[in-house]
Amino acid sequence: MTYEVAIVGASGYTGGELLRVLAVHPDVNVKVVTSREYANKPVYYAHPHLRGIYPASLKFKRLDDPDQLSDVVGDVDLVFLALPHKVSLHYVPKALEVGYKVVDLSADYRLKRVEDYKTWYGYEHPYPDLLEKAVYGLPELYGDKIRGAQLVANPGCNATSSILAVLPPAAERIIDLDRIVVDVKVGSSEAGAKPYRGGHHPEREGTARPYDAEGHRHVAELEQVIRDYTGRDVKVGFTPHAVSMIRGSLASAYSWLTKDLAPLDVQRIYAKYYAGKKFVKIVRGAPMPYPDVKNVYGSNYAEVGFALDKRVGRLAMFAAIDNLMKGAAGTAVQNMNLMLGMDEDEGLKNLVPVRP
Amino acid sequence: MTYEVAIVGASGYTGGELLRVLAVHPDVNVKVVTSREYANKPVYYAHPHLRGIYPASLKFKRLDDPDQLSDVVGDVDLVFLALPHKVSLHYVPKALEVGYKVVDLSADYRLKRVEDYKTWYGYEHPYPDLLEKAVYGLPELYGDKIRGAQLVANPGCNATSSILAVLPPAAERIIDLDRIVVDVKVGSSEAGAKPYRGGHHPEREGTARPYDAEGHRHVAELEQVIRDYTGRDVKVGFTPHAVSMIRGSLASAYSWLTKDLAPLDVQRIYAKYYAGKKFVKIVRGAPMPYPDVKNVYGSNYAEVGFALDKRVGRLAMFAAIDNLMKGAAGTAVQNMNLMLGMDEDEGLKNLVPVRP
Amino acid sequence: MTYEVAIVGASGYTGGELLRVLAVHPDVNVKVVTSREYANKPVYYAHPHLRGIYPASLKFKRLDDPDQLSDVVGDVDLVFLALPHKVSLHYVPKALEVGYKVVDLSADYRLKRVEDYKTWYGYEHPYPDLLEKAVYGLPELYGDKIRGAQLVANPGCNATSSILAVLPPAAERIIDLDRIVVDVKVGSSEAGAKPYRGGHHPEREGTARPYDAEGHRHVAELEQVIRDYTGRDVKVGFTPHAVSMIRGSLASAYSWLTKDLAPLDVQRIYAKYYAGKKFVKIVRGAPMPYPDVKNVYGSNYAEVGFALDKRVGRLAMFAAIDNLMKGAAGTAVQNMNLMLGMDEDEGLKNLVPVRP
Amino acid sequence: MTYEVAIVGASGYTGGELLRVLAVHPDVNVKVVTSREYANKPVYYAHPHLRGIYPASLKFKRLDDPDQLSDVVGDVDLVFLALPHKVSLHYVPKALEVGYKVVDLSADYRLKRVEDYKTWYGYEHPYPDLLEKAVYGLPELYGDKIRGAQLVANPGCNATSSILAVLPPAAERIIDLDRIVVDVKVGSSEAGAKPYRGGHHPEREGTARPYDAEGHRHVAELEQVIRDYTGRDVKVGFTPHAVSMIRGSLASAYSWLTKDLAPLDVQRIYAKYYAGKKFVKIVRGAPMPYPDVKNVYGSNYAEVGFALDKRVGRLAMFAAIDNLMKGAAGTAVQNMNLMLGMDEDEGLKNLVPVRP
């Protein structure tokens, strides 16, 4: 059986990556793609690497308004919304009305508490009931809920790497929940396909610099998940850094142990959460003791690891992902698989990491 | 039906790429991998991105001598030899004796004329009869012969990009065969996994510099193929350049038109040779008029294109490939598919280019 | 004695580089800088690396129209025009009227033949008399004329690398003047500070791709200089390539020898033109036989070299420069030194190449 | 007056950078350079960018043993030791005996407590009296002592960035001294000129990965300086990360405020320590609110900044340096200037940061 899907906002990097992944998915057909900038152009105008992968007959459709959604998209099983924040906001209720299953890749339905949208995104969320309905789409933690969901809010890339690193030790309370900091290193594709000064090659290549260091929105997702697992409100310091690569989000999180543990104890805690998770690799020992973004390039895998500095009592928690894959399109397809009743890794298992 | 294969010399970049490709091949099982450096270690010791992709039970076997080949490799349908030049030389006859089909990724059987080995590689070739038997493994040009071959010599990466760019205009004699130069830009993975000064990150990143500019061995393959198609001995100027990327070989070849042609005429000539070839994309017009190595990253595709400078009467001929894929492992698997009677693109069609 | 200069259009990369160079010039003071985008902002708003190098009191002035030039710039000895093509066009006559010496970094006064502006830039040049008056500002070739000039047209970066590579063999007619091709590899800073899609980090990093392959404007400068030296009209094939680095222009030019020469003969020809030229290094033999853009990074030096492929009779001619320095600001300051009667290398000799 | 200096171990990256800096120093002459690998070769064999900058007559001398030091080096005012750890160890006493002033760029004399060598470097330090005599060579903090010193131990690059970031808030005890973590991002040149697998271009480019995460030696220097200023033993968590650039060390340090402070209060604390320090720029506000390694490339400057996350009570402290300059050769020359009685910025002020 083949499912039909649509990608709304398919000309950006996330849209292109969804197309790349779905091109090798055995049971899914991309029926509709939309883009205003590339309306009526074939897919490869926005994604030159997909020339010949999709037929020239698959052209971007124009979609200007949520009200046109069902007319433009037609009869499909699931819709990916790869739209900017605050634009997706109004497409979601329309899509749900039509009866589509929805994976929303924006931030508009990730947070549960309506007041958090005021705090972090500066707007009054108009659909608080949908916030309740939405499932936070990190399948390694919320797989069961995702399976039955009509609306899944796909996590942010830096949130994903941070959560995968921090959650097991936090949930097990082996670290000081009041003293967590996260330092993320992220590639240039994270900011999207639209040129801007900080992303101009001469400005971005060779750099290592913090940004949004007084509070980056993705931390709200991390705090929400920790709260979910511990019942406690926590406040995490979070600092993303622009580094000189295209793909990759490496989260390095730090806290202090609340009890005396050996490395093997910590490893067991990670294993408790991730054993059997097909896309999480717990990295430890030879030949590379810690995660490396190069090891997950182009794939849906996450490498997770840690370092226990006994002298200091400090636990470093690491996770490396491809920000466009496990941090966006890969997880989105994983969510789709669950929502449509397929195996979680269908299609995705074809995407082996590319290295060197 | 599942075929069994072995990769001899599997710890280098070409070996790793064969493993990556074969991991998604539906009809092939990698039964044996050998490496002296990583003997008895699981695959991910050499290729950390393949952790979990292959079972830890697949360990590198030690193989020191051609005489041990059949003992170490056992019963398989085909052997990939990913060994250094002059080492592969003596493994080939042993492998053929056992009855294996062989794809040799070294240069040792690529040239037809025994004297060329003296000229380009500085040794007397000990098996001239096998040079005759070997088929030059560029499936876009020699597909029919490859199908029935027991021994296929896989082309060099820079030879592949150069041949794909130059051959159609040369074969059709629309360019001056005595005035061809090729300028290749190639990524750092081309030189293999072994560290050396020129490949050290601080020395290689940010560079653009020629090397081997007085005559690079890969030109012998290009000249041989042109001779094959035109019956003429030609001498081509060939200059590779190290540039600042990991993967990619871009050939820019130049010559002068022998008659007055319009761009469309040239395009037809490329189409004559490559129409229906699944892995060659002829690039022309919007949105990107010329090949880009980024468009084939991680895949077996080649982008081929050209630019006709009417004012000068000069034809620029371009081809962009991933040097580890279409330039090595991808073509090797394509050859294997043909030799074992499968569809040419089996497995390979799962590898969509990764961009950005 | 200290000279006063102004930089008109100082917020781009060329303007920034002029500021960097002049900061260490012992005899020159930057009195005025203009920029519309950064009007009234201190220099470091456009050039964050120059924070503290120039006083915060040096602010960009607004300059909207050539008629305001003398009012805004005031009393200075020399004006650098670092404006876009066709904008500089009308500033030059105004600056000359005021009596300023002028180094124009645009293309508007580089070509001698008025019809060339129609061909290459698509406009009717309104000041043909000034084209005659202007001196082409490549000091290694036109130093004597530059010394007495009021208007110097600073060469294009890719023209500079190409000319330095090709001119000696061309002028001495040891190569076939009808069969020259130039293949340039250039860094991302060449296209300027303004963000655009092809220069967006995810699109530019990791690439190697040709552009403007049917005829790039810089070739007109190369052809003009060859004509100057040989009295012959020549047509050169010219193909720039975007590669994955920020700075650097490497020209690889190819032609065929018209007589039988040994490498040492060719070397003597380069020496004839460049011996005693302070910023040209003829590279040959160990440890690096050919030019490398990394060896001139951040400096005004050019590395020039060649490779003679005896088998083919082909001469490869190479030159590597920093496109922002020898290809723009460095040469501009060298021209200024000559025009103001200082030593050619004043200030510039402080800028030793940065490597690795 | 011109001082004569020698560089012992001049063929590595630190040696090359010393040569680059001293080439533009008005009052210093490099009289002797030593290298075993490049013995009897001119400087540009190891440092191709310095071809023509130093005369071909300046050749590396061979020096195999500390006992040969004065014979090989002869009569100079100061010796830079740019040798590996544990090799420098025995050269220092010999150099002091001869009466040379010494700047030692190894780690062998940086730590004050003899037991720290056991802990961090695994050896029994044989010259505890010299540890006392040595001055830790961070001129921004220990300038007065450096002025009169005969032996200065030049800090580690990652120690330098970390100390510059952390010291003012730590010394003023506005942060929790028991809860400090440092996350460093460092370029590939840090590991030196010798090729190794992790530094091979295909392995290093595009990466972001932690290393030595269970305790990196440079933290001992940071802890020592904090102890110096606070009288307290502190233990800092420290995690370096290999990122995809050649030059640069960015330290991002995190702790929690011990009292309620506004950003301006924190800024005053940095200003208290760094006002008037010529090579420290406190970065704050537009246009770039935080340090960027690109802003100090090729120069001796450090950018220092911070971000106060009021919600969390967390202070992020940043410093960006060029690891070969402020992290090695630049500071070494700054120390030399002080030791020889020159202005601190002599020579160094000629090295304006190179950007983009």
Side-chain angles (χ1 to χ4, degrees), chain C residues 150-176:
Chain C
Q150 193 193 353
L151 170 59
V152 167
N154 220 59
C157 61
N158 295 329
T160 298
S161 56
S162 302
I163 293 168
L164 290 174
V166 172
L167 200 267
E172 299 293 312
R173 295 169 176 258
I174 64 167
I175 53 171
D176 181 349

mmCIF file of all heavy atoms in Angstrom, chain C residues 150-176:
data_model
loop_
_atom_site.group_PDB
_atom_site.id
_atom_site.type_symbol
_atom_site.label_atom_id
_atom_site.label_comp_id
_atom_site.label_asym_id
_atom_site.label_seq_id
_atom_site.Cartn_x
_atom_site.Cartn_y
_atom_site.Cartn_z
ATOM 1 N N GLN C 150 47.310 60.372 -12.794
ATOM 2 C CA GLN C 150 46.318 60.918 -11.859
ATOM 3 C C GLN C 150 45.183 59.923 -11.651
ATOM 4 O O GLN C 150 44.557 59.880 -10.597
ATOM 5 C CB GLN C 150 45.751 62.249 -12.379
ATOM 6 C CG GLN C 150 44.960 62.988 -11.272
ATOM 7 C CD GLN C 150 44.118 64.145 -11.779
ATOM 8 O OE1 GLN C 150 44.191 64.526 -12.937
ATOM 9 N NE2 GLN C 150 43.313 64.726 -10.894
ATOM 10 N N LEU C 151 44.945 59.087 -12.669
ATOM 11 C CA LEU C 151 43.858 58.100 -12.580
ATOM 12 C C LEU C 151 44.396 56.704 -12.876
ATOM 13 O O LEU C 151 44.909 56.445 -13.972
ATOM 14 C CB LEU C 151 42.753 58.431 -13.602
ATOM 15 C CG LEU C 151 41.670 57.368 -13.802
ATOM 16 C CD1 LEU C 151 40.934 57.066 -12.508
ATOM 17 C CD2 LEU C 151 40.685 57.809 -14.890
ATOM 18 N N VAL C 152 44.258 55.836 -11.894
ATOM 19 C CA VAL C 152 44.683 54.450 -12.074
ATOM 20 C C VAL C 152 43.474 53.535 -11.931
ATOM 21 O O VAL C 152 42.710 53.649 -10.977
ATOM 22 C CB VAL C 152 45.785 54.074 -11.066
ATOM 23 C CG1 VAL C 152 45.995 52.573 -11.031
ATOM 24 C CG2 VAL C 152 47.087 54.767 -11.440
ATOM 25 N N ALA C 153 43.309 52.656 -12.917
ATOM 26 C CA ALA C 153 42.220 51.689 -12.877
ATOM 27 C C ALA C 153 42.768 50.380 -12.332
ATOM 28 O O ALA C 153 43.568 49.707 -12.988
ATOM 29 C CB ALA C 153 41.657 51.491 -14.285
ATOM 30 N N ASN C 154 42.341 50.045 -11.142
ATOM 31 C CA ASN C 154 42.872 48.851 -10.473
ATOM 32 C C ASN C 154 42.319 47.590 -11.135
ATOM 33 O O ASN C 154 41.118 47.485 -11.356
ATOM 34 C CB ASN C 154 42.433 48.899 -9.003
ATOM 35 C CG ASN C 154 43.486 48.448 -8.048
ATOM 36 O OD1 ASN C 154 44.571 49.035 -8.016
ATOM 37 N ND2 ASN C 154 43.182 47.422 -7.268
ATOM 38 N N PRO C 155 43.168 46.615 -11.411
ATOM 39 C CA PRO C 155 42.723 45.419 -12.141
ATOM 40 C C PRO C 155 41.735 44.547 -11.359
ATOM 41 O O PRO C 155 41.684 44.592 -10.126
ATOM 42 C CB PRO C 155 44.022 44.635 -12.352
ATOM 43 C CG PRO C 155 45.120 45.623 -12.198
ATOM 44 C CD PRO C 155 44.607 46.617 -11.194
ATOM 45 N N GLY C 156 40.992 43.731 -12.077
ATOM 46 C CA GLY C 156 40.144 42.722 -11.469
ATOM 47 C C GLY C 156 40.982 41.613 -10.867
ATOM 48 O O GLY C 156 42.113 41.379 -11.292
ATOM 49 N N CYS C 157 40.437 40.929 -9.865
ATOM 50 C CA CYS C 157 41.249 39.929 -9.171
ATOM 51 C C CYS C 157 41.605 38.763 -10.083
ATOM 52 O O CYS C 157 42.756 38.342 -10.149
ATOM 53 C CB CYS C 157 40.557 39.451 -7.896
ATOM 54 S SG CYS C 157 38.959 38.675 -8.135
ATOM 55 N N ASN C 158 40.626 38.250 -10.807
ATOM 56 C CA ASN C 158 40.916 37.106 -11.677
ATOM 57 C C ASN C 158 41.743 37.531 -12.884
ATOM 58 O O ASN C 158 42.504 36.722 -13.428
ATOM 59 C CB ASN C 158 39.616 36.434 -12.120
ATOM 60 C CG ASN C 158 38.881 35.838 -10.940
ATOM 61 O OD1 ASN C 158 39.508 35.413 -9.964
ATOM 62 N ND2 ASN C 158 37.563 35.811 -10.993
ATOM 63 N N ALA C 159 41.593 38.789 -13.293
ATOM 64 C CA ALA C 159 42.459 39.304 -14.347
ATOM 65 C C ALA C 159 43.898 39.338 -13.854
ATOM 66 O O ALA C 159 44.830 38.969 -14.572
ATOM 67 C CB ALA C 159 42.003 40.701 -14.761
ATOM 68 N N THR C 160 44.093 39.779 -12.633
ATOM 69 C CA THR C 160 45.445 39.866 -12.088
ATOM 70 C C THR C 160 46.140 38.517 -12.062
ATOM 71 O O THR C 160 47.276 38.368 -12.523
ATOM 72 C CB THR C 160 45.404 40.460 -10.660
ATOM 73 O OG1 THR C 160 44.860 41.782 -10.730
ATOM 74 C CG2 THR C 160 46.786 40.503 -10.044
ATOM 75 N N SER C 161 45.461 37.504 -11.514
ATOM 76 C CA SER C 161 46.113 36.188 -11.454
ATOM 77 C C SER C 161 46.364 35.666 -12.865
ATOM 78 O O SER C 161 47.430 35.113 -13.149
ATOM 79 C CB SER C 161 45.283 35.206 -10.624
ATOM 80 O OG SER C 161 43.965 35.100 -11.117
ATOM 81 N N SER C 162 45.428 35.878 -13.760
ATOM 82 C CA SER C 162 45.587 35.370 -15.124
ATOM 83 C C SER C 162 46.733 36.057 -15.852
ATOM 84 O O SER C 162 47.550 35.411 -16.505
ATOM 85 C CB SER C 162 44.289 35.581 -15.904
ATOM 86 O OG SER C 162 43.220 34.933 -15.272
ATOM 87 N N ILE C 163 46.786 37.362 -15.727
ATOM 88 C CA ILE C 163 47.838 38.117 -16.423
ATOM 89 C C ILE C 163 49.205 37.736 -15.882
ATOM 90 O O ILE C 163 50.146 37.500 -16.644
ATOM 91 C CB ILE C 163 47.596 39.631 -16.269
ATOM 92 C CG1 ILE C 163 46.329 40.037 -17.028
ATOM 93 C CG2 ILE C 163 48.800 40.435 -16.753
ATOM 94 C CD1 ILE C 163 45.824 41.436 -16.708
ATOM 95 N N LEU C 164 49.330 37.659 -14.566
ATOM 96 C CA LEU C 164 50.631 37.316 -13.996
ATOM 97 C C LEU C 164 51.097 35.955 -14.478
ATOM 98 O O LEU C 164 52.290 35.731 -14.698
ATOM 99 C CB LEU C 164 50.567 37.364 -12.463
ATOM 100 C CG LEU C 164 50.414 38.772 -11.865
ATOM 101 C CD1 LEU C 164 50.220 38.690 -10.364
ATOM 102 C CD2 LEU C 164 51.633 39.652 -12.189
ATOM 103 N N ALA C 165 50.159 35.035 -14.667
ATOM 104 C CA ALA C 165 50.534 33.700 -15.129
ATOM 105 C C ALA C 165 50.910 33.680 -16.601
ATOM 106 O O ALA C 165 51.910 33.086 -17.012
ATOM 107 C CB ALA C 165 49.372 32.726 -14.877
ATOM 108 N N VAL C 166 50.127 34.352 -17.417
ATOM 109 C CA VAL C 166 50.220 34.177 -18.868
ATOM 110 C C VAL C 166 51.189 35.150 -19.547
ATOM 111 O O VAL C 166 51.786 34.833 -20.559
ATOM 112 C CB VAL C 166 48.806 34.331 -19.498
ATOM 113 C CG1 VAL C 166 48.879 34.340 -21.020
ATOM 114 C CG2 VAL C 166 47.880 33.234 -19.006
ATOM 115 N N LEU C 167 51.305 36.353 -18.995
ATOM 116 C CA LEU C 167 51.963 37.401 -19.778
ATOM 117 C C LEU C 167 53.387 37.078 -20.242
ATOM 118 O O LEU C 167 53.683 37.226 -21.438
ATOM 119 C CB LEU C 167 51.913 38.740 -19.010
ATOM 120 C CG LEU C 167 52.103 40.028 -19.786
ATOM 121 C CD1 LEU C 167 53.538 40.470 -19.789
ATOM 122 C CD2 LEU C 167 51.570 39.944 -21.236
ATOM 123 N N PRO C 168 54.284 36.641 -19.367
ATOM 124 C CA PRO C 168 55.646 36.414 -19.858
ATOM 125 C C PRO C 168 55.719 35.423 -21.035
ATOM 126 O O PRO C 168 56.271 35.773 -22.088
ATOM 127 C CB PRO C 168 56.397 35.937 -18.607
ATOM 128 C CG PRO C 168 55.655 36.568 -17.473
ATOM 129 C CD PRO C 168 54.211 36.517 -17.884
ATOM 130 N N PRO C 169 55.130 34.236 -20.917
ATOM 131 C CA PRO C 169 55.184 33.342 -22.082
ATOM 132 C C PRO C 169 54.478 33.920 -23.304
ATOM 133 O O PRO C 169 54.927 33.707 -24.438
ATOM 134 C CB PRO C 169 54.477 32.069 -21.584
ATOM 135 C CG PRO C 169 54.628 32.105 -20.113
ATOM 136 C CD PRO C 169 54.564 33.549 -19.741
ATOM 137 N N ALA C 170 53.391 34.645 -23.088
ATOM 138 C CA ALA C 170 52.679 35.221 -24.231
ATOM 139 C C ALA C 170 53.503 36.323 -24.876
ATOM 140 O O ALA C 170 53.676 36.371 -26.098
ATOM 141 C CB ALA C 170 51.318 35.754 -23.786
ATOM 142 N N ALA C 171 54.044 37.203 -24.048
ATOM 143 C CA ALA C 171 54.817 38.321 -24.586
ATOM 144 C C ALA C 171 56.026 37.825 -25.368
ATOM 145 O O ALA C 171 56.422 38.421 -26.369
ATOM 146 C CB ALA C 171 55.250 39.243 -23.449
ATOM 147 N N GLU C 172 56.595 36.726 -24.903
ATOM 148 C CA GLU C 172 57.766 36.173 -25.595
ATOM 149 C C GLU C 172 57.370 35.219 -26.716
ATOM 150 O O GLU C 172 58.232 34.620 -27.361
ATOM 151 C CB GLU C 172 58.666 35.456 -24.584
ATOM 152 C CG GLU C 172 59.208 36.360 -23.492
ATOM 153 C CD GLU C 172 60.197 37.403 -24.024
ATOM 154 O OE1 GLU C 172 61.099 37.022 -24.786
ATOM 155 O OE2 GLU C 172 60.026 38.611 -23.682
ATOM 156 N N ARG C 173 56.078 35.076 -26.893
ATOM 157 C CA ARG C 173 55.538 34.233 -27.977
ATOM 158 C C ARG C 173 56.087 32.814 -27.975
ATOM 159 O O ARG C 173 56.263 32.198 -29.027
ATOM 160 C CB ARG C 173 55.808 34.893 -29.327
ATOM 161 C CG ARG C 173 55.065 36.215 -29.505
ATOM 162 C CD ARG C 173 55.564 36.976 -30.721
ATOM 163 N NE ARG C 173 54.772 38.191 -30.930
ATOM 164 C CZ ARG C 173 53.813 38.309 -31.859
ATOM 165 N NH1 ARG C 173 53.508 37.297 -32.629
ATOM 166 N NH2 ARG C 173 53.154 39.451 -31.983
ATOM 167 N N ILE C 174 56.308 32.292 -26.796
ATOM 168 C CA ILE C 174 56.725 30.876 -26.749
ATOM 169 C C ILE C 174 55.514 29.959 -26.707
ATOM 170 O O ILE C 174 55.649 28.745 -26.718
ATOM 171 C CB ILE C 174 57.651 30.572 -25.547
ATOM 172 C CG1 ILE C 174 56.910 30.780 -24.213
ATOM 173 C CG2 ILE C 174 58.915 31.428 -25.606
ATOM 174 C CD1 ILE C 174 57.654 30.197 -23.027
ATOM 175 N N ILE C 175 54.336 30.536 -26.599
ATOM 176 C CA ILE C 175 53.115 29.724 -26.618
ATOM 177 C C ILE C 175 52.247 30.144 -27.803
ATOM 178 O O ILE C 175 52.386 31.246 -28.333
ATOM 179 C CB ILE C 175 52.302 29.849 -25.315
ATOM 180 C CG1 ILE C 175 52.034 31.327 -24.981
ATOM 181 C CG2 ILE C 175 53.001 29.141 -24.169
ATOM 182 C CD1 ILE C 175 51.066 31.543 -23.843
ATOM 183 N N ASP C 176 51.356 29.257 -28.165
ATOM 184 C CA ASP C 176 50.434 29.494 -29.278
ATOM 185 C C ASP C 176 49.376 30.510 -28.826
ATOM 186 O O ASP C 176 48.484 30.186 -28.045
ATOM 187 C CB ASP C 176 49.778 28.156 -29.651
ATOM 188 C CG ASP C 176 48.805 28.296 -30.816
ATOM 189 O OD1 ASP C 176 48.475 29.435 -31.217
ATOM 190 O OD2 ASP C 176 48.364 27.244 -31.316
#
